Amino acid sequence: MGRYLATRLSHVVITLFAMMTLTFFLFRLLPGDPTAMVISPALDPAAQEAMRVRFGLDRPLVEQYFVYLANLARFDFGYSFRTSGPVWDLIQGRLVNTLLLILPSMTAAYAIGAFLGAYIGWHRGSRTEAGVILVATILQSAPLFWLSMLAILFFSIKLDLFPTGHIVSPGSFPEQTWRMYLTWDFLHHLALPFMVNTLYQLCFPLLLMRSTMLSTVGEDFIELARMKGLTERQVLFRHAMPTSLLPLATTLPMILGWAVAGSVVIETIFSWPGLGLLMVEAVTQADYPLVQGAFLLIAVLTVTGTFVADMLYGMLDPRIVYR
Amino acid sequence: MIRLCSTFIKTVWATRAGRVSLLVVVGCVLLAVFGPLLAPYDPTMRNYDQAGKLLRLAGPSWDHWMGTTLLGRDIFSQMMWGARPALLVGGITALGTVVIGLNVGLIAGYFGGRTDAILMRITDIFLGLPFLPFIIVVLAMTGRSLWTIIFAMTIVMWRSTARVIRAQVLSLREMQFVSAARITGASDFAILYREIAPNVMPVALVSTAFSLAWAIITEASIGFLGFGDPTVVSWGSILYDAYASQAMYRAPWWVVPPGIAIMILVSAVYFVGRAYEEVINPRLRSV
C-alpha cells in the first residue's frame, strides 16, 4: 500500500508539473506576442517597454519558465491587468463560492442518485425503471445552461420565488466577507442553482448505480439474505445497495473535479461569482494572468480529484492488490 | 468496416428504442444537410411587417413559425441552419476522438511495460485538464472558428476512449487467438490491427456514440458562453443571443426550441449507443 501510494503520488506530481508547463506555453506561445500575457497591450509603448524589463520579459523564455515555476510554488500567480491586485487574492474568494455551490449539490445528487438507482436496478424490467431511465437520459442530454434558463424563466420570472442570479442581493455586501454566507439572503440565492445542478448531476450516479445493481442482484449472497428470511426491503438496503456503492463512491472525487471545471456554465447563467464565472469574465476582458490563475487552480482540483478517486478505489475494494 | 456498420445498424434496429433513436439521428443528419436549403428566410436577415416596422420579438405566427428575435430574425430559419454546426462539430470530434483513443489504447494495452506507462501518464495529464476551461482558453488564444472548437475538444476527449480500449486490450491479448496468430509468425502490427482491433471495435463504437453526444452538448455550451464561431448560426449561438439580449425572459419561443432540438438529438445518440451496448454487454440488458 505504502509503495503504491508513493508511486501514485509521484504520478500526481508529474501530472501537476506537466499541467503547469502546458499552461505556461499555452498562454505564451499561442498568441502572437508572448508578453501580452503579462503586459496589457492597452498601455503606451514606452510604459510597455519599461514593464517588459521590470517583469523580466526581455529574458529568454526558458528563464521566464523557471521564474514562473518558482512563483507558483509560493502561490504567486502574478497580477491582474484590470485590478492590478495579486491574482491569488482574487481567486481564493471565488473558489469558496464555487465550492459552496458545487459541494452541496453534488452531495445531494449522489445521495438521491444512489437511492433511486438502487431502487430501479432492484426492480429490473419494471415500468418505473424504463420511465426513470428515459427521464434521466433526456435530462442528461439537455444542456445545463438551457435547463437553468428554463428554471429562471419559470421559478424566478413567472412565479417570482427565487432571485434570477447573484450570490446575495446586489449592494448588501460590498466587500466579500464570510458573514454573507450566514444570511438567509445567501440561501435564497443558492436555492435555484443548487436545485438545477443537483437535478442535472444526479443522472450519472443514478445510471451507474443501476447498472452496478444489475450484477449485484444475481449474486449468491443476495439469495442467502433472502433465504435467511429478510424482507425484500432489508435485502435491498442492507445487502444489495451497500455492495453496489463501490463504483459510485470511487467516481465521486473525479466527478467533483469535473463539476468544478463545468461550473463555468452554471455560474455564468446565474451570475454566481465563482471561479468559472471569473474565468469567463477574465477571458472576455483579456486579463490573461487572471485566466491563467483560475485555470491552474481548476486544473489542480481536477488532478487531485482523480488521484483521490484512484486511492479510494483501492481502499474500499479489498480485492484490489497493489503492486 | 462495412460489415461492422451493418451489424451495428441491425443490432440497434432490433429494439424499439433503438429504432426510434436511429430515425431521429438520421432525421437530424438530413436536417443538417438540407436544412439551410429549406429554411424560409435568411437566418441573419431582419424581418419587417407590412407597415415596414421591424418585427422585434414577435411571437410565433404563420409567417414566422417560431417567432422572431430581438433583431427581427426568423428563429425557425435559424433552427434549420443550426443542425449543421452541431453535427459537423460533433461528428468530426467524435471521429478524431475515436481514432486517437483507439490507437493509444491499442498500443498501450498490447505492448504494456514502458510504452504503456508512458502513454498512460500522458492520458493522466489530459484527464486532469479541466474540459470547458481548457477549450475556452484555446479559443481565446487561437481565435473562434469551428475548426479550433473541433481541435480543442478532440485534444481533451480522446482520453476516456483510450482508457476504455486499453482495458479491453489487456484482457484480449491473453486470449488464445492472439497466441495462435503469434505462433503462425504474424508481426505485432498484424496481430494488433488484424486480430485485436476488430474485437475492440464494438466498444469503440459505443464510446464514439457517447463522445458524439458529449461533443454536441459542449459545442452548444461554448456557443452559449459566447466563444462560438461568430460567423455560424448554431443552436448554442441562438441561445447566446437570447441570453445576451436580456430579452429571453420575455420571449420563451426564442429560448425553448434550440434546447429541445439539442435534447432530442443528444438523447437519440445516447439511446443508439446504449441499445448497442446492451447487446455487446448482456449484463446491462433489461429482462
Side-chain angles (χ1 to χ4, degrees), chain A residues 11 124 137 141 146 211 268, chain B residues 243 255 267 274 283 285:
Chain A
H11 291 169
R124 184 182 191 176
T137 307
S141 309
W146 182 69
S211 60
T268 303
Chain B
Y243 178 73
V255 181
S267 46
R274 225 176 273 153
R283 196 175 59 75
R285 214 175 300 163

Side-chain angles (χ1 to χ4, degrees), chain B residues 42-119:
Chain B
D42 179 336
T44 55
M45 186 182 78
R46 291 155 170 251
N47 293 287
Y48 298 87
D49 62 10
Q50 269 131 9
K53 223 170 125 255
L54 185 65
L55 276 172
R56 236 177 234 289
L57 291 182
S61 65
W62 185 243
D63 287 334
H64 301 281
W65 291 355
M66 291 177 180
T68 61
T69 71
L70 188 71
L71 297 173
R73 290 166 179 162
D74 182 53
I75 295 171
F76 180 70
S77 304
Q78 293 192 334
M79 290 293 299
M80 303 281 279
W81 278 77
R84 197 176 272 186
L87 276 164
L88 197 70
V89 171
I92 299 177
T93 306
L95 198 69
T97 302
V98 79
V99 168
I100 303 177
L102 187 65
N103 283 299
V104 171
L106 278 172
I107 293 170
Y110 181 72
F111 290 106
R114 187 166 288 178
T115 321
D116 183 34
I118 293 174
L119 285 176

Side-chain angles (χ1 to χ4, degrees), chain A residues 215-227:
Chain A
S215 61
T216 312
V217 169
E219 301 262 355
D220 290 342
F221 72 92
I222 297 292
E223 207 49 42
L224 180 73
R226 277 215 186 96
M227 285 195 300

Side-chain angles (χ1 to χ4, degrees), chain A residues 42-83:
Chain A
L43 290 172
D44 79 286
Q48 280 191 36
E49 196 47 48
M51 284 181 78
R52 209 159 277 154
V53 175
R54 214 181 99 206
F55 286 127
L57 291 168
D58 48 346
R59 304 289 171 87
L61 206 58
V62 182
E63 200 181 317
Q64 289 183 43
Y65 169 66
F66 287 108
V67 173
Y68 155 91
L69 285 184
N71 285 344
L72 283 187
R74 286 178 281 134
F75 289 98
D76 179 356
F77 288 81
Y79 295 88
S80 157
F81 285 164
R82 207 167 40 88
T83 67

Side-chain angles (χ1 to χ4, degrees), chain A residues 6-26:
Chain A
T7 333
R8 282 295 302 156
L9 215 60
S10 73
H11 291 169
V12 171
V13 173
I14 296 172
T15 310
L16 283 178
F17 178 73
M19 201 72 77
M20 288 170 188
T21 310
L22 190 106
T23 311
F24 178 84
F25 290 106
L26 180 68

